[in-house]
Amino acid sequence: MHRLLSAVTVRAATPGGQAWGCGRRRAHQRAGLLPLGHGWVGGLGLGLGLALGVKLAGGLRGATPAQPPAAADPEASPQAEPQEQSLAPWSPQSPAPPPSRCFARAIESSRDLLHRIKDEVGAPGIVVGVSVDGKEVWSEGLGYADVENRVPCKPETVMRIASISKSLTMVALAKLWEAGKLDLDIPVQHYVPEFPEKEYEGEKVSVTTRLLISHLSGIRHYEKDMKKVKEEKAYKALKMMKGMVASDQEKEGKSNEKNDFAKAKTEQDNEAKCRNSKPGKKKNDFEQGELYLKEKFENSIESLRLFKNDPLFFKPGSQFLYSTFGYTLLAAIVERASGYKYLDYMQKIFHDLDMLTTVQEENEPVIYNRARFYVYNKKRRLVNTPYVDNSYKWAGGGFLSTVGDLLKFGNAMLYGYQVGLFKDSNENLLPGYLKPETMVMIWTPVPNTEMSWDKEGKYAMAWGVVEKKQTYGSCRKQRHYVSHTGGAVGASSVLLVLPEELDTEAVNNKVPPRGVIVSIICNMQSVGLNSTALKIALEFDKDRSD
């Protein structure tokens, strides 16, 4: 009894007890009652202790003898449901909902990976979202959405998604193609006569919608110097050829002395060509003036004047040249084929996909939870990015969104891609937003293309695609996945879809979408996020399989 009363009395006098008493005292004062003194707290604690002691003593009189319980550690905190931790000022982090138990390991390892990436590149803030089989299982923000005002990132944070906008535009083109309103293989002048007919090296050539989608049209990107672009392409091709020759030599093994001498001479010649053809220093995209345009364009047709009279850099269909301006022309095609303004048509699609926080980026509207965007200056100091107007490239890089909306978009695409496999086992499934044959076309690699963010892949139709591949037994196995990355002024992004490997027997008792989707957005430019997203997707796929 003495120990019990002592414990109660001591607890009443602890800082925790005092804080509780202070809270009660403030509530007491708000109610208009007399203020309570410090003595009231101690008296209450003593009174409660005496009352409890009397009740225990009364109960023990009539109880049968029993072994006394082990003495409780007075320092141990009472067991309770886990509470959300308060955010430390030096490490902002949005309170995450209780994770699904089956993905706790994947969440912990993925969070650690993101912290490492964030620290490595010095990004102010980063937001991640993951869905498994159509259900969002994790979303969290790390760091700051607004450094100046100390606003932490959270799942609702809105950021620039940059070139993921191209994948959104592809949905508009696909819907028009499915409805018979758009022919992908006729010259674009059929829809947009304002875009002049083109010639390449004196020969009349055709630019089609299909070529524009896969960056095979020859229309320039931000670099205007054709010579620099061609030199860089030739240099890359020569390096690739050199690598292929080396690989072939390794496979062939040892040869006779004569052949060895010939191969050595060929290698030396290639190296000399490589050195002599090495291009001069080419500006990266963030050094190009057009990336920082401040002019507002009223519609896509008006935006064409930035590049419509420039010569083609390559013959259409012959070489891959990533071009955001090509998607500006695609936006004009959407307008003419649909009869709606491009942004109006896209908002209808966003409504259908339940992407309610995805909008075009404009300076004037108040957009809740919009982040600020940052870059490091020459002195390696964090600064705000300059004001830019993205109205000239809505279709290729002008939208804002959240990780949650991007997950919805990814799941809608994955559902359409897989639903055809499930129709025989489940006739009650709803159709996908795009037909299965359309999604197969969109996610099929296109010849002569490149996937800059993963050399294993090819570009398809507004998505990069890496196909399933395994060269050696019990060695690295490349999973099939699709993704698109984005880089804008003060922002980086990625949306990655890792479909489940399905066969005819695997679809029984399952419904689409089946797979893992990861979206990451960041308010710092030039942050490569595709490999991080793939690692996260594989972590969740592992827990999902287990």
Side-chain angles (χ1 to χ4, degrees):
M1 179 64 72
H2 175 72
R3 283 199 295 270
L4 176 62
L5 294 178
S6 298
V8 173
T9 307
V10 170
R11 184 172 290 276
T14 58
Q18 186 174 353
W20 177 80
C22 291
R24 289 292 300 268
R25 186 157 58 251
R26 284 193 291 271
H28 199 77
Q29 289 169 353
R30 284 196 296 271
L33 302 177
L34 291 175
L36 302 172
H38 286 283
W40 179 83
V41 178
L44 177 61
L46 184 58
L48 287 172
L50 289 170
L52 181 60
V54 171
K55 185 164 185 66
L56 285 171
L60 288 171
R61 284 195 195 100
T64 57
Q67 293 295 326
D73 183 357
E75 299 295 325
S77 57
Q79 292 187 3
E81 291 295 321
Q83 301 295 317
E84 292 179 349
Q85 296 180 354
S86 59
L87 303 180
W90 51 268
S91 179
Q93 181 173 317
S94 62
S100 174
R101 287 185 180 180
C102 57
F103 297 112
R105 186 206 60 83
I107 290 172
E108 183 179 353
S109 62
S110 299
R111 183 186 292 120
D112 178 68
L113 176 61
L114 281 174
H115 272 297
R116 291 169 183 266
I117 296 297
K118 178 182 173 301
D119 293 343
E120 180 184 344
V121 301
I126 193 166
V127 188
V128 62
V130 179
S131 76
V132 178
D133 298 339
K135 297 181 179 63
E136 183 176 318
V137 297
W138 180 46
S139 59
E140 189 172 339
L142 308 175
Y144 290 110
D146 182 341
V147 173
E148 291 168 284
N149 297 297
R150 312 295 278 178
V151 179
C153 285
K154 55 185 178 180
E156 296 78 21
T157 297
V158 174
M159 293 189 189
R160 291 170 178 159
I161 62 170
S163 288
I164 297 176
S165 303
K166 293 178 174 68
S167 303
L168 300 178
T169 299
M170 185 62 229
V171 177
L173 295 164
K175 292 295 283 185
L176 292 169
W177 178 72
E178 287 183 345
K181 297 180 179 180
L182 176 62
D183 189 328
L184 300 177
D185 299 304
I186 61 175
V188 296
Q189 288 79 13
H190 177 81
Y191 301 101
V192 187
E194 292 87 345
F195 188 78
E197 293 185 353
K198 294 293 180 181
E199 290 185 356
Y200 182 75
E201 295 182 348
E203 178 187 356
K204 187 177 179 180
V205 294
S206 293
V207 174
T208 67
T209 301
R210 190 184 297 274
L211 292 175
L212 285 168
I213 291 169
S214 297
H215 303 286
L216 292 168
S217 67
I219 291 176
R220 70 174 178 87
H221 193 37
Y222 297 118
E223 176 60 70
K224 295 181 180 181
D225 192 327
M226 184 189 300
K227 184 180 177 183
K228 285 184 179 179
V229 172
K230 288 195 170 188
E231 284 178 350
E232 185 186 38
K233 295 283 286 185
Y235 178 66
K236 286 182 178 178
L238 197 57
K239 283 185 70 176
M240 186 177 295
M241 185 177 70
K242 181 184 171 186
M244 290 174 65
V245 169
S247 177
D248 290 341
Q249 289 175 349
E250 185 181 341
K251 286 181 181 178
E252 288 173 6
K254 294 182 178 180
S255 261
N256 59 46
E257 189 175 337
K258 185 177 179 180
N259 286 342
D260 285 346
F261 176 77
K263 288 175 182 177
K265 190 175 186 310
T266 303
E267 188 174 338
Q268 288 174 358
D269 291 342
N270 283 339
E271 285 180 358
K273 286 180 183 178
C274 207
R275 283 195 299 270
N276 295 333
S277 64
K278 189 170 183 177
K281 185 178 180 183
K282 174 179 168 289
K283 293 180 179 179
N284 66 44
D285 288 348
F286 293 103
E287 296 174 311
Q288 303 290 347
E290 285 179 321
L291 199 65
Y292 300 92
L293 287 178
K294 296 175 174 58
E295 181 182 358
K296 186 169 184 64
F297 293 85
E298 293 302 321
N299 52 59
S300 300
I301 300 296
E302 187 182 342
S303 303
L304 297 180
R305 65 178 168 82
L306 291 170
F307 62 94
K308 68 179 183 180
N309 294 318
D310 294 338
L312 298 181
F313 280 21
F314 299 100
K315 182 179 180 180
S318 66
Q319 292 195 51
F320 178 86
L321 179 61
Y322 191 90
S323 173
T324 291
F325 285 127
Y327 275 72
T328 300
L329 180 52
L330 286 172
I333 292 171
V334 169
E335 289 187 352
R336 294 294 170 76
S338 67
Y340 293 92
K341 291 181 179 180
Y342 171 77
L343 292 178
D344 292 341
Y345 194 73
M346 292 305 298
Q347 283 302 323
K348 179 184 181 302
I349 289 174
F350 297 154
H351 180 268
D352 291 343
L353 296 174
D354 198 31
M355 298 172 64
L356 304 181
T357 60
T358 303
V359 294
Q360 69 272 16
E361 184 184 5
E362 294 180 288
N363 189 52
E364 296 84 3
V366 175
I367 298 175
Y368 298 150
N369 299 313
R370 176 163 30 179
R372 295 181 69 91
F373 304 102
Y374 301 94
V375 67
Y376 283 95
N377 64 13
K378 292 180 180 179
K379 295 182 179 180
R380 296 302 298 164
R381 298 282 296 182
L382 189 71
V383 295
N384 291 299
T385 55
Y387 167 74
V388 293
D389 189 303
N390 287 323
S391 57
Y392 73 99
K393 59 169 185 179
W394 296 132
F399 287 107
L400 301 170
S401 192
T402 61
V403 293
D405 267 15
L406 292 178
L407 292 180
K408 291 178 182 178
F409 172 59
N411 276 309
M413 298 300 97
L414 182 58
Y415 183 96
Y417 182 71
Q418 293 178 330
V419 69
L421 299 172
F422 290 83
K423 275 295 184 182
D424 293 336
S425 59
N426 192 338
E427 297 179 354
N428 297 321
L429 288 174
L430 293 171
Y433 193 67
L434 295 177
K435 297 175 182 177
E437 54 268 30
T438 304
M439 284 306 308
V440 169
M441 177 183 72
I442 291 173
W443 283 356
T444 298
V446 175
N448 296 331
T449 61
E450 303 167 12
M451 183 176 170
S452 61
W453 53 93
D454 190 334
K455 301 301 182 184
E456 302 274 357
K458 294 281 188 181
Y459 205 82
M461 300 182 80
W463 288 85
V465 180
V466 174
E467 294 188 290
K468 180 180 177 180
K469 180 182 177 182
Q470 186 171 6
T471 307
Y472 305 105
S474 298
C475 293
R476 179 175 178 270
K477 180 181 179 182
Q478 175 62 59
R479 285 284 300 272
H480 168 233
Y481 79 89
V482 300
S483 71
H484 210 297
T485 61
V489 177
S492 304
S493 60
V494 64
L495 174 62
L496 185 143
V497 180
L498 183 72
E500 179 181 342
E501 297 179 333
L502 295 170
D503 53 37
T504 309
E505 296 179 358
V507 300
N508 292 328
N509 302 318
K510 295 181 180 179
V511 293
R514 303 291 302 180
V516 180
I517 299 177
V518 179
S519 59
I520 307 174
I521 51 179
C522 171
N523 56 352
M524 169 66 67
Q525 68 193 39
S526 302
V527 181
L529 295 170
N530 189 77
S531 61
T532 301
L534 180 58
K535 288 174 184 175
I536 291 174
L538 292 172
E539 286 292 316
F540 278 83
D541 187 65
K542 181 180 178 182
D543 281 9
R544 172 178 172 273
S545 301
D546 292 344

